[in-house]
Amino acid sequence: MSEPVRVVVTGAAGQIAYSLLYMVAKGDVFGPNQPVILHLLDIPPMMGVVQGVVMELSDCALPLLRGVVPTADPDVAFKDVDAAFLVGAMPRKEGMERKDLLAANVGIFKVQGQAIERNAKRTIKVLVVGNPANTNALVCSKYAPSIPKENFTAMTRLDQNRATAHIAERLNVSCADVSNVIIWGNHSSTQFPDVRHANATVNGAKVSVSEAIKDDEYLKTQFVEVSVFCIFFNLFLIHGTI
């Protein structure tokens, strides 16, 4: 087997990380023959929960898991890491305006970007999960200037997938038959799903989505509204607030 890759997961005490860690540790992410060392980062008050996560990982006796580093120190968390899943972020709470949410997350992702710059491998790949994902990714990359910008990815792919699925359902085709749907804007009401360059394969023929649907009013109104509504509905289910 090759040398272990070091993988940091932030917000390690949270529910998303809880599901992600097992997949990484058992080989679903980096391959069935790639050993990993997990770095688990969370805030100091959550370290008791993180220790419980460490115990559960130990109980699994996963052959590929060569070590676990639980920490509340970003410099320790990002030391020599090959990949980062930035899951932890401030969720919107009741009474918070969007500017308040952005300000809180700028602080979080600035610190993590600086820790990446000081400690991580120059080849690190970073996936930002915490919303607003694309803004957080921009902030993080700004404070890690020596890391190539293409090494940072924001998981707004979820929004792109959702818009693609709506088009596929409307045309009664598989999602695999729909391509080039684009999402502009942030993970919020400012988002705009764009199908001007999208294509779909319908009855064996590849045509533009606009030509296939033949309903510009739907694409300009209902399609956009449904895509944004799904985002807010999911935020409500996860956090109890929009």
Side-chain angles (χ1 to χ4, degrees):
M1 288 189 177
S2 58
E3 289 294 311
V5 295
R6 292 183 177 269
V7 182
V8 60
V9 178
T10 71
Q15 293 182 354
I16 296 174
Y18 188 80
S19 300
L20 174 63
L21 289 169
Y22 179 72
M23 291 190 290
V24 173
K26 76 184 185 73
D28 287 347
V29 178
F30 295 96
N33 299 309
Q34 177 59 64
V36 298
I37 297 173
L38 287 173
H39 292 213
L40 311 184
L41 177 64
D42 216 310
I43 58 177
M46 300 304 296
M47 291 312 295
V49 178
V50 172
Q51 289 295 342
V53 173
V54 174
M55 293 174 65
E56 289 200 19
L57 287 168
S58 178
D59 288 343
C60 293
L62 296 161
L64 294 174
L65 185 58
R66 299 299 173 83
V68 182
V69 181
T71 183
D73 184 344
D75 286 322
V76 174
F78 289 96
K79 181 66 175 176
D80 295 328
V81 295
D82 299 277
F85 294 91
L86 306 188
V87 177
M90 173 70 75
R92 181 179 293 193
K93 298 178 181 179
E94 187 175 356
M96 285 183 70
E97 295 184 8
R98 189 158 190 84
K99 64 180 181 180
D100 302 322
L101 179 66
L102 289 171
N105 278 305
V106 164
I108 293 171
F109 286 87
K110 175 182 177 180
V111 168
Q112 292 180 4
Q114 291 171 331
I116 289 171
E117 179 69 13
R118 289 191 299 266
N119 302 283
K121 292 181 180 178
R122 302 301 88 182
T123 54
I124 185 176
K125 300 297 191 296
V126 181
L127 175 62
V128 179
V129 180
N131 285 316
N134 53 338
T135 301
N136 291 340
L138 177 64
V139 171
C140 191
S141 67
K142 174 181 172 59
Y143 288 97
S146 70
I147 308 298
K149 293 293 183 286
E150 60 267 24
N151 288 22
F152 291 84
T153 301
M155 209 178 71
T156 48
R157 179 58 183 263
L158 170 65
D159 301 325
Q160 181 183 355
N161 287 349
R162 187 173 289 133
T164 299
H166 282 307
I167 294 297
E169 182 178 3
R170 178 83 174 191
L171 295 175
N172 195 29
V173 299
S174 166
C175 288
D177 294 323
V178 180
S179 61
N180 296 338
V181 175
I182 300 172
I183 297 295
W184 302 103
N186 221 320
H187 185 82
S188 70
S189 59
T190 63
Q191 179 200 120
F192 181 76
D194 180 2
V195 296
R196 287 175 298 174
H197 305 284
N199 298 307
T201 301
V202 182
N203 297 324
K206 187 174 182 178
V207 296
S208 71
V209 163
S210 298
E211 182 182 347
I213 288 181
K214 296 183 176 66
D215 189 342
D216 287 343
E217 186 64 23
Y218 161 78
L219 292 174
K220 292 177 181 178
T221 57
Q222 186 180 347
F223 169 60
V224 176
E225 292 166 2
V226 168
S227 297
V228 173
F229 171 78
C230 284
I231 294 168
F232 286 145
F233 183 66
N234 282 354
L235 287 173
F236 179 77
L237 290 177
I238 295 170
H239 300 303
T241 181
I242 296 174

